[in-house]
């Protein structure tokens, strides 16, 4: 059972999310909050698996709330809700540690799939969105990131380079002509060696290390 915490300042929107989540046999809403500060309190009280986090809220926005929650506990995964694809708030939320973001007007099935995907440890970023996100986050090449990437085997580096383009495990398997199980094993080793919690962080490190250049398709 996936425990979901809803942090959204609009009560009607929260009610809609609750209805959708509670209709599923494998997930339930464990708490609600109307702003980031309350979200921090509820996250500590309910210990959710996934937090659905709005970014534009009174008292404390979702960016600061995400950073504080993940600094206190590495357990929950944060799925950020945004009104506009790749707005500055969403980019900042990913920097703060969110595992991905979703447009508020996404279909219910996409919303539910995103919760399950984030809970499973994957990232909710479409390939095209990942490319634009990384172009926005693009820093100078970071020697620390390069050192981390240098700990990978040649095959793991190859997998990371493809992963950094926003491909799923299944798509990576097809591109590299290997089994999906093999890809999952490589990804698990990559996350361990890079000391990151999810694919989003691994993709950012790959970008910082110069493994993938901005605008690469």
């Amino acid at each position: 059972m996936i425990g979901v915490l809803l942090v959204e300042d609009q009560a009607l929107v929260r009610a809609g999310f609750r209805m959708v989540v509670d209709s599923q046999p494998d997930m339930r809403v464990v708490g609600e909050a109307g702003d980031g500060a309350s979200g921090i309190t509820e996250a500590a009280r309910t210990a959710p698996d996934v937090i659905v986090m709005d970014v534009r809220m009174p008292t404390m926005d979702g960016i600061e709330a995400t950073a504080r929650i993940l600094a206190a506990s590495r357990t929950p995964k944060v799925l950020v809700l945004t009104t506009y694809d790749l707005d500055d708030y969403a980019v900042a939320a990913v920097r703060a540690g969110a595992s991905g973001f979703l447009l508020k007007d996404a279909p219910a099935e996409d919303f539910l799939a995103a919760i399950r995907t984030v809970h499973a440890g994957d990232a909710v970023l479409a390939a095209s969105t990942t490319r634009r996100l990384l172009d926005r986050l693009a820093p100078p090449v970071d020697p620390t990131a390069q050192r981390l990437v240098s700990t990978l085997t040649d095959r793991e580096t190859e997998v990371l380079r493809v992963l950094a383009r926003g491909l799923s495990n299944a798509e990576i398997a097809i591109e590299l002509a290997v089994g999906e199980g093999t890809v999952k094993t490589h990804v698990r080793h990559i996350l361990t060696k890079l000391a990151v919690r999810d694919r989003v962080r691994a993709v950012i490190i790959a970008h910082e290390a110069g493994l993938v250049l901005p605008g690469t398709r």
Side-chain angles (χ1 to χ4, degrees), residues 104-115:
K104 277 191 176 183
D105 61 357
E109 56 268 27
D110 290 353
F111 174 65
L112 294 170
I115 291 175

Side-chain angles (χ1 to χ4, degrees), residues 105-177:
D105 61 357
E109 56 268 27
D110 290 353
F111 174 65
L112 294 170
I115 291 175
R116 293 187 178 100
T117 298
V118 167
H119 178 252
D122 209 337
V124 181
L125 293 173
S128 60
T129 302
T130 299
R131 288 193 292 266
R132 296 200 312 279
L133 171 68
L134 292 177
D135 287 349
R136 292 278 291 279
L137 293 175
V141 172
D142 182 356
T144 299
Q146 288 184 317
R147 284 194 295 273
L148 284 170
V149 170
S150 72
T151 66
L152 305 179
T153 65
D154 289 344
R155 191 56 161 173
E156 289 165 352
T157 301
E158 185 179 19
V159 171
L160 178 60
R161 184 178 286 110
V162 180
L163 172 66
R165 287 163 40 202
L167 275 64
S168 67
N169 285 347
E171 291 168 333
I172 295 171
I174 292 172
E175 174 140 340
L176 299 182

Side-chain angles (χ1 to χ4, degrees), residues 40 54 73 75 81 86 90 100 107 109 117 123 146 158-159 163-164 167 171 185 196 199 203 209 211 213-214 217:
I40 294 172
D54 191 14
S73 173
T75 300
L81 297 175
L86 256 189
E109 56 268 27
T117 298
Q146 288 184 317
E158 185 179 19
V159 171
L163 172 66
L167 275 64
E171 291 168 333
T185 299
V196 294
R199 295 161 74 103
V203 169
L211 206 61
L213 298 177
R217 298 295 183 264

Side-chain angles (χ1 to χ4, degrees), residues 24-36:
Q24 301 301 297
D26 61 336
M27 60 180 73
R28 65 186 178 93
V29 173
V30 296
E32 297 183 26
D35 61 71

